[in-house]
Amino acid sequence: MTWSILARDADGSFGVAIASRFFAVGALCVHTRAGVGALATQALMNPLYGAAGLALLQQGMAAADVVAQLTGADAGQAQRQLHVLPAHGPAAAHTGAACVDWCGHQVHADFSVAGNMLAGPQVLQATADAYIASADQPLAERLIAALQAGEAAGGDKRGKQSAALVIQGAEDYRTLDLRVDDHDDPLAELQRLHAVSLERFQPFLACLPRRADPVGTLDRSRIEAAVAAFHARRAAG
């Protein structure tokens, strides 16, 4: 009842975008860890896959082996859908035999798409094509555009209700974590929230404490200068 895209950016960041005709799809389906990977659990989701899968990736297990271990130990695996993208190496995915049509997945060099209860295979294809075509854009914007293309191709065949976007950078906290839990047009609302995040939230993140600077920027004039510099860079393209 959902489709999603996992992506790995050139700078090592991970991104996940997901949409569904189900309440709060971002609450339990999406899991990320800095420097480790990202995964999405779908269909009759198993939230236990999240922490367990990321722990296996952190131990150095390949994504395909993570998927095999998680689903192999799950008596409900026929009704699960899972895709996993590690920090290095190929993604892997599982679509259980009992997932509702249309269902399936695609695995690419640095991203994967998966969905179930969709209007047809064109939904995933359009999602993947749009992501590939937007390589010159920031990761978050690529992911939103990819889901919008999938929705235009039919999306979830039952309709739409919720969506989410996660960007996981190098820090233990997420760079961006946007959720639309219940909305008539969740992808439009997700795009609106992303636009609002660009006003001050995203530029302010550069001023927060991080591993290399555990205090962060405390001088408010320097914070305002960082916000202004962020917008100047975006305006310059």
Side-chain angles (χ1 to χ4, degrees), residues 177-198:
D177 190 349
L178 302 179
R179 280 176 44 184
V180 180
D181 287 347
D182 185 28
H183 198 279
D184 291 340
D185 195 349
L187 289 183
E189 178 64 4
L190 189 66
Q191 186 172 39
R192 186 192 70 82
L193 290 176
H194 176 260
V196 174
S197 78
L198 289 169

Side-chain angles (χ1 to χ4, degrees), residues 48-145:
L48 299 178
Y49 284 176
L54 292 172
L56 292 172
L57 286 179
Q58 192 160 26
Q59 292 167 18
M61 185 177 288
D65 294 331
V66 171
V67 169
Q69 181 161 322
L70 293 176
T71 58
D74 184 356
Q77 62 87 23
Q79 300 187 73
R80 315 289 191 209
Q81 187 171 56
L82 169 69
H83 55 142
V84 177
L85 182 65
H88 306 284
H94 162 85
T95 298
C99 290
V100 179
D101 282 336
W102 189 89
C103 57
H105 57 261
Q106 294 184 14
V107 174
H108 297 261
D110 57 2
F111 75 97
S112 59
V113 291
N116 63 92
M117 211 176 286
L118 301 180
Q122 72 276 9
V123 176
L124 293 191
Q125 191 61 55
T127 301
D129 289 346
Y131 181 77
I132 293 169
S134 60
D136 60 337
Q137 299 298 310
L139 181 58
E141 293 166 35
R142 295 181 73 185
L143 294 171
I144 293 173

